[in-house]
């Protein structure tokens, strides 16, 4: 779940090493679930939201060799990728 907001992400799929990340929102007074987007074939097994929300890091930790992708959920765009070999955790400053 986004720390401040109504959005959340789900990692799903059955391809080894490549998963889909679907983002959803539960905004509005009725709390209806709204599918925002599905990002296909991402090398991610963990999701980390920025403390202020809006930015998501899709991380492939452990056996996925530390692949990180920053995604701006507000603008629906990738902000960049990087590899931090053998990364095991992500923390926001």
């Amino acid at each position: 779940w986004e720390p401040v907001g109504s959005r959340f992400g789900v990692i799903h799929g059955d391809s080894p090493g490549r998963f889909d990340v679907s983002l959803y929102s539960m905004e509005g007074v009725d709390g209806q679930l709204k599918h925002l987007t599905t990002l296909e074939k991402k090398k991610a097994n963990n999701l980390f939201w920025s403390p202020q929300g809006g930015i998501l890091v899709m991380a492939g930790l452990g056996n996925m060799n530390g692949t990180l992708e920053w995604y701006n959920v507000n603008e629906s765009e990738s902000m960049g990728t990087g590899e931090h070999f053998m990364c095991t955790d992500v923390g926001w400053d």
Side-chain angles (χ1 to χ4, degrees):
W1 282 92
E2 186 176 27
V4 289
S6 59
R7 297 178 286 196
F8 66 95
V10 177
I11 299 171
H12 56 94
D14 54 9
S15 299
R18 295 284 181 173
F19 299 99
D20 296 341
V21 177
S22 292
L23 301 174
Y24 297 90
S25 175
M26 294 191 71
E27 291 184 19
V29 293
D30 56 0
Q32 289 287 348
L33 182 65
K34 178 183 176 188
H35 178 253
L36 301 175
T37 190
T38 296
L39 308 167
E40 296 181 346
K41 298 180 181 171
K42 296 296 177 182
K43 214 171 175 184
N45 56 10
N46 286 271
L47 302 176
F48 298 92
W49 289 91
S50 70
Q52 292 81 27
I55 308 295
L56 178 69
V57 173
M58 297 175 280
L61 304 180
N63 64 348
M64 296 184 96
N65 291 328
T67 302
L68 305 175
E69 180 175 351
W70 287 262
Y71 186 79
N72 184 332
V73 179
N74 296 330
E75 302 295 326
S76 299
E77 65 183 9
S78 177
M79 298 172 64
T81 59
E83 187 172 307
H84 298 274
F85 186 67
M86 298 305 289
C87 179
T88 59
D89 198 16
V90 173
W92 290 87
D93 246 347

